[in-house]
Structures are given as C-alpha cells and as structure tokens.
Amino acid sequence: QVQLIESGGGLVQAGGSLRLSCAASGITLMTNNVAWFRQAPGKEREFVAAITWSDERLNYADSVQGRFTISRDNTKNTMFLQMNSLKPEDTAVYYCAAQYSFDYRAYARTNSYDYWGQGTQVTVSS
C-alpha cells in the first residue's frame, strides 16, 4: 500500500530554519501531484505548498511565499519542505500528501489528495 512518512519536525526559535522530509512507498512521487499541508491547534488544515507533476509547477500559500520551498528527490522518492525565516504562526502539525491526478486548479484543496502522512510537529518559539 501507499505510505508517506514525514520526519524532520522539531522546536526552533523564530527566524530559524527546518527541513521536513516525506519518504514515499507504493507510489512514485515523480508522477504524482505532491503537497504539504499544516494544521494548528483548533484550526482547519490549510495548504502550504504543492508541485503539480505534469508541469512541475511550484505553488505556495501566500503566508509562506518566499520563506518555504517544496522540492522532490526522484531518485530517493522523497519530497521535502525547506522552511526558512520561521515565525510562531508557522507552529502546526505538518502533513505531506500525494495524488495521481486532479484538476490543476484544486491543488490547494485537502480533498484533492488521497494519500497522507501521519504528520510531524513543528513548533516555533518567540
């Protein structure tokens, strides 16, 4: 079956950096749409970043544009989220997600993705 396993979360000071990894099995990330979402306590899960596989286009939420970078290592079948200039508002559980095909306009919707990791906690202190 498909498995997505996140790692790399932790506690960092505001302004610091962190890189999250998502190792995939059962699917090839190179031929899937892939994304990162996050969910803070008491809030809905929200879109962070995505790669649309057909055109390799990178997409970011306005809140992380210029600070976060999504990438993929096809050899290792692993996706990453490099997070720089972290803010306390970035504190959340971060989830990776993948889906073979969907309307490209729906990349930021949680229900566009069938496969999800279990999440990794990121905490940013002031």
Side-chain angles (χ1 to χ4, degrees), residues 58-109:
L58 307 184
N59 306 278
Y60 297 96
D62 290 342
S63 60
V64 306
Q65 180 72 46
R67 299 189 298 119
F68 291 10
T69 303
I70 185 171
S71 63
R72 183 176 58 209
D73 185 328
N74 295 329
T75 300
K76 298 180 179 180
N77 202 30
T78 300
M79 59 185 293
F80 305 93
L81 184 68
Q82 178 66 46
M83 303 184 294
N84 299 325
S85 302
L86 283 163
K87 305 175 181 179
E89 306 93 274
D90 297 317
T91 295
V93 177
Y94 283 71
Y95 301 88
C96 60
Q99 178 64 35
Y100 172 68
S101 181
F102 53 62
D103 187 332
Y104 76 94
R105 297 170 295 179
Y107 63 82
R109 297 171 58 185

Side-chain angles (χ1 to χ4, degrees), residues 30 32-35 47 49-60 65 69-72 102 104-105 107-108 113:
M30 178 181 174
N32 277 263
N33 303 294
V34 299
F47 169 75
I51 304 174
T52 305
W53 76 267
S54 60
D55 58 1
E56 292 294 307
R57 186 175 298 276
L58 307 184
N59 306 278
Y60 297 96
Q65 180 72 46
T69 303
I70 185 171
S71 63
R72 183 176 58 209
F102 53 62
Y104 76 94
R105 297 170 295 179
Y107 63 82
Y113 300 87

